[in-house]
């Protein structure tokens, strides 16, 4: 059964501030930012635009928002740099593009899309990826643009806790990511994800976000997925592809498949995080196994919703 209208869902990562540290002002700022992002994607879909364009617009807005760990506001590697990963996938025919470990490109999701549209490749890194960005005329920014004091402080705290032997698992200090999934009025799905990765990661570490089938996936016949959390666990489980396979091969309803993978499988290997998963019939779930996940959704003709915990 096909849905009767569009659906858009977004996330701003599973690295939410613990409830006790969240002030009312800060909480309001997150909801307002998520609302602006939904509006950016929704305006594409209400004009009969493609799911692919809607997830691109939503993830660009998330990357531009310093509250979230992607683009401006990305976390720092252990040597104080930014290395960003991003991916995009079109549910029509499983076209995909992704970039890993890039720096300087204002909107990594646009570079992922350029890889998909301008090359024969799916995943690119290094100088070759930056050449594609230049050829596509994408905007570059200097280090100051990506810098936020809060992320810098998180890195210093992480390094100090490592040295003290007191490092804990607090997701709000360690990670975050942004992503979007959409179903358009023509019945097509798309997904996009973008991240600075994990605070204090080693240079060259690549997470799940740009790995098609791990942190990002879309196929019109099954689902669109964007994930956030401990990237290594999401790669080991190939989380997004696992949901697709449970639907396609196991005839499991999408909502059951997505919950089982996050609540059972991810927890079983000690991974924390969550995801947004949208089925071709418009069913949407946003499961997480940690304290919260910045998230929101809007349906054709409906009012936008945003949630944190
Ligand atoms: N999954 C991201 C990564 O491992 C981080 C996150 O979503 O928190 O790079």
């Amino acid at each position: 059964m096909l849905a009767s209208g569009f659906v858009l869902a977004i996330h701003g990562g599973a690295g939410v501030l613990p409830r006790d540290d969240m002030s009312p002002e800060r909480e309001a700022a997150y909801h307002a930012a998520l609302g602006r992002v939904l509006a950016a994607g929704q305006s594409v879909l209400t004009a009969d635009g493609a799911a692919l364009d809607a997830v691109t617009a939503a993830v660009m807005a998330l990357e531009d928002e310093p509250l979230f760990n992607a683009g401006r506001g990305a976390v720092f590697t252990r040597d104080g740099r930014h290395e960003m990963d991003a991916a995009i996938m079109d549910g029509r025919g499983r076209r995909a593009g992704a970039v890993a470990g890039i720096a300087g490109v204002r909107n990594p999701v646009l570079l992922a899309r350029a890889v998909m549209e301008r090359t024969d490749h799916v995943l690119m890194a290094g100088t070759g990826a930056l050449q594609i960005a230049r050829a596509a005329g994408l905007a570059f920014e200097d280090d100051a643009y990506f810098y936020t004091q809060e992320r810098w402080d998180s890195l210093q705290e992480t390094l100090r806790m490592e040295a003290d032997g007191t490092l804990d698992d607090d997701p709000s200090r360690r990670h975050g990511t942004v992503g979007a999934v959409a179903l358009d009025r023509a019945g097509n799905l798309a997904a996009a994800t973008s991240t600075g990765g994990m605070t204090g990661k080693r240079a060259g570490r690549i997470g799940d976000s740009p790995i098609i089938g791990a942190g990002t996936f879309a196929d019109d016949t099954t689902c669109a997925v964007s994930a956030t959390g401990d990237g290594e666990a999401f790669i080991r489980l190939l989380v997004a592809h696992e949901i697709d396979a449970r639907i396609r091969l196991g005839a499991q309803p999408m909502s059951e498949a997505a919950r089982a993978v996050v609540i059972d499988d991810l927890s079983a290997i000690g991974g924390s995080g969550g995801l947004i998963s949208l089925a071709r019939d418009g069913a949407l779930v946003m499961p997480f196994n940690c304290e919260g996940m910045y998230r929101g959704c809007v349906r054709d003709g409906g009012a936008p919703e945003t949630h944190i915990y």
Side-chain angles (χ1 to χ4, degrees):
M1 195 187 68
L2 281 179
S4 53
F6 70 73
V7 186
L8 170 70
I10 58 166
H11 71 82
V16 304
L17 284 174
R19 263 180 222 271
D20 294 347
D21 298 344
M22 181 68 93
S23 66
E25 296 73 35
R26 187 128 183 146
E27 191 162 351
Y30 277 110
H31 284 291
L34 291 169
R36 288 192 295 273
V37 170
L38 282 173
Q42 186 181 5
S43 66
V44 174
L45 295 165
T46 46
D48 290 334
L52 188 68
D53 293 327
V55 297
T56 305
V59 170
M60 279 180 74
L62 285 156
E63 288 174 340
D64 290 346
E65 172 55 67
L67 286 173
F68 303 114
N69 170 21
R72 188 176 198 189
V75 299
F76 289 91
T77 62
R78 59 190 311 111
D79 43 8
R81 294 173 187 276
H82 289 112
E83 292 186 5
M84 301 180 217
D85 301 336
I88 191 161
M89 189 158 183
D90 187 346
R92 296 169 293 191
R94 292 194 180 203
R95 291 195 317 144
V99 286
I102 57 148
V105 176
R106 181 186 175 112
N107 290 109
V109 70
L110 292 183
L111 182 50
R113 187 157 172 175
V115 169
M116 177 174 85
E117 291 177 341
R118 290 172 164 257
T119 78
D120 297 329
H121 308 314
V122 169
L123 174 57
M124 294 187 70
T127 52
L130 296 179
Q131 274 166 13
I132 302 296
R134 285 190 200 95
L138 300 186
F140 279 73
E141 301 287 351
D142 59 19
D143 289 348
Y145 170 83
F146 296 99
Y147 181 96
T148 54
Q149 190 63 44
E150 197 183 327
R151 301 295 187 198
W152 181 255
D153 293 345
S154 292
L155 173 65
Q156 303 315 317
E157 198 185 346
T158 302
L159 296 176
R160 184 182 50 71
M161 290 172 93
E162 264 184 32
D164 293 355
T166 56
L167 191 61
D168 64 12
D169 247 13
D170 177 3
S172 66
R173 194 191 56 257
R174 293 175 56 230
H175 55 75
T177 278
V178 308
V181 291
L183 174 70
D184 60 29
R185 284 177 176 158
N188 299 309
L189 289 165
T193 312
S194 181
T195 190
M198 312 270 287
T199 301
K201 67 184 182 182
R202 289 176 193 279
R205 178 265 187 189
I206 294 163
D208 60 309
S209 309
I211 307 297
I212 299 300
T216 308
F217 188 79
D219 184 325
D220 275 0
T221 65
T222 54
C223 59
V225 177
S226 172
T228 168
D230 295 319
E232 283 69 12
F234 281 75
I235 293 172
R236 288 163 58 206
L237 293 173
L238 281 172
V239 161
H241 180 261
E242 176 72 14
I243 296 170
D244 164 81
R246 282 169 178 254
I247 301 167
R248 195 163 36 84
L249 305 174
Q252 204 170 15
M254 184 281 291
S255 52
E256 254 177 49
R259 287 202 187 96
V261 171
V262 174
I263 308 302
D264 304 336
D265 301 357
L266 184 63
S267 306
I269 64 163
S272 95
L275 53 83
I276 52 178
S277 181
L278 178 59
R280 62 193 295 258
D281 64 0
L284 169 70
V285 286
M286 304 195 261
F288 50 90
N289 71 352
C290 46
E291 185 161 8
M293 179 170 75
Y294 301 112
R295 63 200 185 280
C297 62
V298 62
R299 288 178 181 274
D300 215 344
E305 284 175 35
T306 59
H307 305 275
I308 299 178
Y309 299 103

